[in-house]
Amino acid sequence: MASQGTKRKRDHEPSDLSIESPLTTVMKIMENVKNTISRATDNSYEASMIRDIISKINQMDKVSRKKATFGIFGKSGEGKSSLLNAVLGEKDLLPSGCFGACTAVVTRVEANLEDSNYIAEFELFSKEEWEKELKDLFTVLSDEDETHELFDNAVEKITALFGDDAEKKTLEELKKEVKFAEIETFLSFSKKISKSDVSKFSNVVASYIQPSESSPGDWYWPLVKSVTIKIPGCHELLKHVVLVDIPGTGDCSKIRDDKWKSTLRECSIVWIVSDINRAITDKEPWGILKHCTTELGPEGECRRINFICTKTDEINLTAYVRSARLSTDQLTGDKEKVCILHRNEHAKKRVKEKFEQSHIKKIFRTDNDFQVFTVSSKAFFDPKFNLDHSETEIPKLQDDLRILNEDITRELTRDYVNEAKGVLSLIQSVQPDTDKEMVKMKDKVSMEFEESLMKALNELDSRFNTIYSVLEQCLSKGVEKSVELCVASTKAVIQNVLHQTLRALCRYGGRYFSKSKNELLDLNKALAENLHECLEEDFKQIFPVSGQTGKSVQEEIDKFSVIQSDSASFRSPTLNHIQKFIKTEETKLKASLNREVVETKKHIYSSIQKTIENEMASCYEKAAAITGPGSWKKMQELLITTVNEKKQDMFNKAKNEVLKKFNNLKLYIKNELESELKMSIKLSLSQSSKITLMDVSRESEQLESLTEQ
């Protein structure tokens, strides 16, 4: 890597990078097959058949899988940058504050798989989005009390871009300045930075993701939604993984808040980073878990949470011995090391106990879904701290990334090998047609496959209808409960908040996070709570992220098969190859559909709150516009009255939206299975040849061997 800083070799780094992977081997095999059969004939019909087969091989190379996302939460100063530097084996890779200093920008870190440069790619506001954002900021400046945090937030963003005292100017005055035109030009082009030197890279990137109180002006972070940082030399840890620093509770800007929610829903694993001295008492990390339960659970795909206690090397020896009441017998050997390790174990126990009592515990199925790590980034690089390499626990986090990368690589390789075996079966099925039985039975076999397909689809439809009934029953209970309790839920959210906070909640569509109080006010979520509560348990069974529940959509898809045990395809060797090809195509399709189910279930669950938000939108807008004496009371009354008037229609719309989305998912799955498998059946049964394309028996044996690997 280009960094000049301290490096530490990652555990288990491969010593011989020249060893060919199974995936590379099978890709070479298929490339050889493709080259060989492309020279097999000049006959136009057979050339068309060969093009079909080559097309199948080419499609294999184009299949991509989204990366696994590790979401990282933790406020600035908790040691996130140092933690990541240690995990990635580079002491000076990310300077302190580079990762997570700005609470608004989502920062992604992944491997640069193309070259040896450090790259940053920025997702910026569009011109239209920025115009609306700027207008909203100046509305805050004109409406809000200067003591309110919304006012401070607006000042921070405007002065970051335009310099000192810019907040004292009007929007029209700012539009006349050269800087305003420069910003519009800046937003017109995509922004990408590429440097070979890590120090220069970090300095340039800082102005796009970091605020600076000492030198306002020319800091562009208010224009940035997210930044993707690509680091060279991290293939082993990050080839299939992206690390994402996620602001703990979103942003006042709806654009950034939507980005925050969508990023949360992508997280497979979450790291909560907190200073070990505040891991139990600090409200922020636990508040994050509380606020994000829905987005990580039924609206997301989170499989595990790691709570990471940092700065374990920082300890006041005398104070800790006194507070922990350690005896002389316990303090043998290196006293500081003994105290550090003792505090580490105590912290793990306390954090786990607190997690067991937390609201988010219910979204996980096993105790292994929550783990606690106590890490020292300093000791990982500096042996003077006298902690063994393993005692820093950085290697455990590296293993976490490495194992996931290996699992994904293994899964991709297995899928590729299985698909390659299917293509070879297709080739074997178009050998010279000496099987007279096959010639006579082709139409009959096609009909049998078609009948089997329709039978399997009808059975799948029946099982999906059962799931639909379960959802409908849960939602009907939720509607009844919501109608009964919604006015009380509304009052609970809005009655004891300050005037300016209530206005902010209305201005931002029913949701406002108070940074000063570390408190989230979300009226939409409160109104959706009873529907969610009645749906949640069954929803987890119907749409698990992984594993089996006996009731899931994914399991119903897995049961589906067009290949029956008494299929006619066993009657000849050629038909047996056709059956293998169709089975391979079916398996690939079902795996793809199961991944799409996980994505779609996020939108199904979130549609409840989204429907409520849309139904309440005009009310929020009207309430935010109320001014003058008694406006606080008038805003409250308008919100309560609107909820009461809309409740029956609003909650039924939310229920029907969930059912509609589920029904759309059912139809999509059935249509994909029917259309894709009909194409596969047609392709496999319509091939015939007067020549031998290629003897692929040796290649088939090689793939069987790779399958075992």
Side-chain angles (χ1 to χ4, degrees), residues 112-142:
N112 177 4
L113 303 176
E114 305 298 327
D115 55 39
S116 59
N117 283 349
Y118 297 86
I119 296 172
E121 297 172 346
F122 298 88
E123 181 188 4
L124 306 175
F125 279 56
S126 68
K127 283 186 179 181
E128 294 74 22
E129 288 171 337
W130 173 241
E131 285 175 5
K132 184 180 184 307
E133 170 87 348
L134 197 56
K135 183 180 178 181
D136 289 345
L137 292 175
F138 273 90
T139 300
V140 168
L141 291 177
S142 62

Side-chain angles (χ1 to χ4, degrees), residues 7 50 67 94 185 255 335 532 534:
K7 291 189 178 184
I50 289 168
K67 294 187 176 184
L94 295 167
T185 303
I255 297 165
K335 291 183 180 179
H532 283 161
C534 291

Side-chain angles (χ1 to χ4, degrees), residues 269-470:
I269 295 174
V270 166
W271 289 0
I272 303 290
V273 181
S274 180
D275 186 320
I276 192 169
N277 291 302
R278 298 189 293 271
I280 302 299
T281 58
D282 192 354
K283 292 181 179 179
E284 184 156 325
W286 298 100
I288 289 169
L289 289 175
K290 180 182 177 182
H291 300 323
C292 301
T293 301
T294 301
E295 287 80 10
L296 295 176
E299 284 184 16
E301 55 181 277
C302 183
R303 293 172 170 83
R304 189 170 79 248
I305 291 178
N306 291 341
F307 198 106
I308 302 174
C309 303
T310 57
K311 303 183 179 182
T312 61
D313 52 86
E314 297 178 10
I315 191 168
N316 183 320
L317 199 59
T318 303
Y320 187 76
V321 170
R322 187 189 311 117
S323 65
R325 298 181 178 179
L326 297 181
S327 66
T328 305
D329 292 340
Q330 291 175 289
L331 293 171
T332 56
D334 187 330
K335 291 183 180 179
E336 185 173 34
K337 180 175 180 177
V338 169
C339 289
I340 288 172
L341 297 180
H342 184 275
R343 183 178 63 175
N344 287 355
E345 290 306 309
H346 182 65
K348 287 181 179 181
K349 180 181 176 182
R350 291 284 307 281
V351 169
K352 286 179 180 178
E353 287 173 350
K354 188 160 186 175
F355 174 76
E356 288 297 322
Q357 300 166 8
S358 69
H359 180 69
I360 201 170
K361 172 70 167 67
K362 66 180 183 179
I363 76 172
F364 295 107
R365 299 169 65 187
T366 70
D367 292 338
N368 292 331
D369 294 332
F370 183 82
Q371 297 182 30
V372 185
F373 296 84
T374 48
V375 305
S376 171
S377 303
K378 288 181 181 178
F380 180 75
F381 287 111
D382 192 345
K384 78 177 184 181
F385 287 93
N386 294 329
L387 286 177
D388 294 341
H389 194 208
S390 61
E391 290 169 340
T392 69
E393 298 203 3
I394 295 295
K396 290 184 179 180
L397 294 176
Q398 290 176 333
D399 285 342
D400 216 23
L401 289 169
R402 184 181 296 106
I403 290 169
L404 181 58
N405 262 294
E406 290 172 354
D407 287 345
I408 295 173
T409 298
R410 189 178 297 110
E411 183 181 339
L412 288 169
T413 303
R414 184 181 63 244
D415 291 349
Y416 195 95
V417 170
N418 287 337
E419 190 169 357
K421 288 161 67 176
V423 172
L424 295 188
S425 293
L426 181 62
I427 293 172
Q428 287 173 303
S429 74
V430 292
Q431 299 297 313
D433 200 353
T434 57
D435 190 340
K436 301 301 182 183
E437 183 183 357
M438 177 59 186
V439 177
K440 297 175 183 177
M441 293 183 59
K442 184 173 291 186
D443 290 340
K444 184 179 179 182
V445 169
S446 177
M447 187 179 299
E448 286 185 9
F449 275 132
E450 294 270 354
E451 288 174 355
S452 179
L453 173 59
M454 298 315 297
K455 179 184 176 184
L457 286 170
N458 288 334
E459 290 173 351
L460 182 64
D461 185 72
S462 176
R463 296 195 295 269
F464 277 160
N465 287 341
T466 301
I467 294 175
Y468 183 97
S469 297
V470 172

Side-chain angles (χ1 to χ4, degrees), residues 81-82 85 92-99 198 202-203 210:
S81 298
S82 299
N85 287 343
D92 302 315
L93 182 63
L94 295 167
S96 178
C98 176
F99 202 74
V198 67
S202 297
N203 290 336
Q210 284 182 289

